[in-house]
Amino acid sequence: KFPSVRRDLSLLIDKAVKYEQVKDIALKTERKLLKEINLFDVFEGEKLGNKKSYAVSFIFQDEQNTLSDKEITKTMDKLIKAYTEQLGAELRG
């Protein structure tokens, strides 16, 4: 069995967006390598206005070989693009 890799992403999104939408987009965007997605923090505050912050973790694994950093980065870039285009999400540092 090949090792899994975890990457985290902090998204600034509209308050109306539900976690299910975030999860569905991830599962549609990356079917092969994405094994698990988890919401591990939600932040809402006056400073964010009509937005909220979701901290999401992604577990990637390839059953055939060990994932390279390049493959993981490419996959994360695809996810970020999907969140930006479909939810108007911004990345939080």
Side-chain angles (χ1 to χ4, degrees):
K1 188 169 175 163
F2 296 97
S4 61
V5 177
R6 175 181 164 156
R7 289 291 185 270
D8 296 341
L9 201 55
S10 185
L11 300 168
L12 187 62
I13 52 179
D14 192 276
K15 277 188 180 179
V17 175
K18 303 279 185 251
Y19 171 66
E20 286 302 316
Q21 292 171 268
V22 173
K23 186 174 182 177
D24 289 346
I25 288 171
L27 295 172
K28 286 177 190 163
T29 303
E30 181 50 60
R31 290 190 174 110
K32 183 180 170 227
L33 302 177
L34 183 61
K35 301 302 178 198
E36 200 176 310
I37 175 173
N38 295 295
L39 177 66
F40 65 90
D41 189 43
V42 178
F43 177 76
E44 295 182 48
E46 286 184 29
K47 286 183 181 180
L48 298 181
N50 200 30
K51 303 235 180 222
K52 63 185 169 188
S53 174
Y54 273 174
V56 184
S57 69
F58 303 90
I59 306 290
F60 301 104
Q61 187 175 29
D62 189 330
E63 304 295 330
Q64 308 303 318
N65 57 47
T66 301
L67 290 169
S68 68
D69 282 340
K70 187 176 179 182
E71 288 173 294
I72 296 162
T73 299
K74 184 177 167 187
T75 302
M76 288 302 292
D77 288 347
K78 251 190 344 187
L79 288 168
I80 291 165
K81 184 175 186 228
Y83 289 135
T84 303
E85 290 176 354
Q86 296 177 45
L87 299 178
E90 297 173 45
L91 289 185
R92 289 196 68 182

